[in-house]
Amino acid sequence: MFQLTRRHMLAGLAGTAAMGSLATGFDRAAHAQGAPYVVNTYGGRWEKFWRAQLLPKLEPMLGRPVKLDIGLGNGWVSTFRAAGKDKSPFDVLMTNERYAVMLRDEGLLAPMPAAKITNLADVYPLARYKNDAAVTGIVSPIGIAYRTDLVKAPPTTWRELWDAKYKGQLGFYSVNNSLAVMFLMLAGKLFGKDELDLDTGFKKLAELKPFPQVDFSGAMAPLLTQGQVAIAPIDFAEAVALQQKGVPIGIVVPQDGVLMFDQSFNVAANAADKDASCKYIDFMLSPEVQTLLAKEFFTAPVNSKVKVPDELQAAIPVSGDNVSKILTFDWQFVARNREVMLDRWAKEI
C-alpha cells in the first residue's frame, strides 16, 4: 500500500510548482501567439479612430487580433496597480504623463527596448525621455480660445488673462484635469520664482475667481458654445471642431508659450510580448500614423519626417521644429506633491 510521506508531499509540491511555472510559460506563449493584443485608448472619437484607421493596419502587422481597452488615465492607474508588476493588464500604456510617472516610480513600467523602435530616431527631442523610459507619441497643443462675438480684444499671452477686463469671462479646469495643473505651475513660473512655486501659483489662480471649472477637456466646449464662458484654454482640435460647427471661436497661440495634452507610450515592466509592444509603439510613431493623427485630431506630429499638410496649417499652428518650443512640466514633482495640490485646490480654488 502506498503511503504518503513528507518526502512524497514535498516532491509533489515541487512538481506542482514546476507545472505551474510551465503552465504560466505556456500561457504567456499562447498569449504571444494567438490571444488578442490589448491596446488602450479613450472613448468617443478616439475609439472610432482606433477601430477604423489603426486596427486594420495593426492587426496584420502583429499577426494577432487587437482588443481595445477603453478608459481614462485614473482608471488605468488603478488597473495597473491592482494587477501588480508581474501581471500587467496590457503591455503598452498610453496616457497623460501625469499618470504614467506614478506607475513608473512604482516599478510598474520599464524602459522601452529602444533599439527595436526604429522611428524613435526621427522623434523630436521634446518627445524623447531620458534612458528611453517612454516616448510622447501624441501632442495636442493648447492655446487660448475666445468667443469672437464676446471678446473685442483677445489676449495674446497667458499673462494677460489676469487683466481686469477679462474678469468673469474665463473658464478653467478642475484639478482632476492635467491642464489645471499645468496652468497652476505656469502661474508660478510667470509671476513667481519658477513652475515649482506653488504658493504663487495658487495665489494667482485665486485672483481669477470666480470661474466655472470642468473636469474634462470636452466639457469646456458646451460652455463656450453657450456663451457661459468667453475665454478658456483648450486644445486646437477642440477649437477647430467648434469652428466647424459654426461657433464663433478664435484661438490664440500664446506668445509666452504653448501648453499641450501629451500621450506618452510606456512598456509594462513585465510585458508578455515585448516584440509586439515595440512594433505597436513604432507603428504609432511612424510617419503614416502621425499624419493620420494630425488629420483626425489636429495633433502636432512628433516624427520630424512628417510635414503638416498645407490644408491643416491653420488648425495645427505649432508643428515642425516649433514643437520643441512647447512648454513642459515636471510631472514627478506633481506626483510627489499630488495630495498637497488636491488639498490646496479644494480650499483655495
Side-chain angles (χ1 to χ4, degrees):
M1 182 177 178
F2 177 78
Q3 291 187 329
L4 185 63
T5 64
R6 183 173 181 273
R7 188 174 178 181
H8 287 127
M9 288 180 65
L10 290 174
L13 289 171
T16 301
M19 287 299 292
S21 177
L22 284 172
T24 301
F26 288 139
D27 288 347
R28 294 174 71 83
H31 176 79
Q33 292 171 7
Y37 185 77
V38 180
V39 166
N40 75 307
T41 189
Y42 304 100
R45 285 179 62 199
W46 291 71
E47 179 182 357
K48 291 179 182 176
F49 176 78
W50 252 252
R51 291 193 189 285
Q53 307 250 23
L54 300 188
L55 298 198
K57 299 178 176 63
L58 184 59
E59 288 181 331
M61 186 181 301
L62 299 182
R64 297 167 58 182
V66 173
K67 178 182 176 182
L68 291 184
D69 184 301
I70 308 300
L72 293 170
N74 268 328
W76 290 317
V77 168
S78 299
T79 302
F80 266 74
R81 283 173 171 166
K85 183 176 181 180
D86 294 333
K87 196 176 182 181
S88 53
F90 42 85
D91 288 359
V92 172
L93 173 65
M94 177 190 78
T95 189
N96 300 133
E97 178 58 13
R98 174 187 184 182
Y99 298 113
V101 71
M102 294 190 290
L103 297 178
R104 201 173 299 128
D105 286 347
E106 295 167 20
L108 295 169
L109 304 175
M112 301 182 300
K116 295 183 177 180
I117 304 173
T118 56
N119 282 304
L120 268 178
D122 299 317
V123 167
Y124 289 112
L126 172 127
R128 297 291 300 266
Y129 282 58
K130 184 179 180 182
N131 298 325
D132 292 311
V135 60
T136 301
I138 302 176
V139 169
S140 302
I142 298 168
I144 305 172
Y146 65 96
R147 283 283 298 253
T148 56
D149 56 337
L150 301 176
V151 180
K152 293 182 179 178
T156 58
T157 65
W158 296 111
R159 182 184 290 270
E160 282 183 73
L161 296 183
W162 275 264
D163 191 308
K165 64 186 176 188
Y166 300 128
K167 192 79 172 180
Q169 292 188 299
L170 306 175
F172 285 105
Y173 299 84
S174 76
V175 72
N176 296 321
N177 191 294
S178 301
L179 182 46
V181 178
M182 285 187 271
F183 199 74
L184 169 69
M185 298 177 78
L186 178 65
K189 182 177 180 178
L190 290 175
F191 298 101
K193 290 181 288 188
D194 53 36
E195 68 178 60
L196 310 186
D197 186 352
L198 296 183
D199 289 339
T200 298
F202 275 109
K203 174 176 176 292
K204 297 303 293 185
L205 256 64
E207 291 177 5
L208 296 177
K209 295 192 301 183
F211 52 78
Q213 299 181 39
V214 296
D215 283 345
F216 303 108
S217 308
M220 189 62 74
L223 299 185
L224 283 163
T225 301
Q226 296 158 12
Q228 296 181 48
V229 165
I231 304 174
I234 64 174
D235 60 279
F236 291 107
E238 199 74 58
V240 172
L242 290 174
Q243 290 170 341
Q244 291 175 341
K245 292 177 181 176
V247 181
I249 290 289
I251 187 160
V252 171
V253 178
Q255 296 172 9
D256 42 7
V258 171
L259 309 179
M260 69 169 170
F261 286 124
D262 63 339
Q263 299 296 330
S264 68
F265 286 74
N266 307 266
V267 176
N270 195 27
D273 191 345
K274 281 196 166 57
D275 284 343
S277 301
C278 292
K279 288 179 181 176
Y280 176 50
I281 295 175
D282 200 46
F283 172 67
M284 294 302 297
L285 298 177
S286 68
E288 178 187 10
V289 172
Q290 288 292 310
T291 302
L292 289 174
L293 287 164
K295 289 180 177 178
E296 178 68 25
F297 299 109
F298 306 112
T299 54
V302 299
N303 190 314
S304 60
K305 288 186 174 178
V306 180
K307 183 181 182 301
V308 173
D310 291 342
E311 66 271 21
L312 296 179
Q313 290 285 344
I316 310 176
V318 178
S319 64
D321 291 338
N322 286 329
V323 165
S324 298
K325 297 179 182 177
I326 293 175
L327 300 177
T328 58
F329 297 89
D330 185 344
W331 292 109
Q332 280 199 317
F333 171 82
V334 174
R336 289 196 302 270
N337 291 275
R338 181 174 181 274
E339 295 304 322
V340 172
M341 287 185 176
L342 293 175
D343 184 58
R344 291 192 63 173
W345 191 281
K347 294 175 179 174
E348 300 175 36
I349 308 299

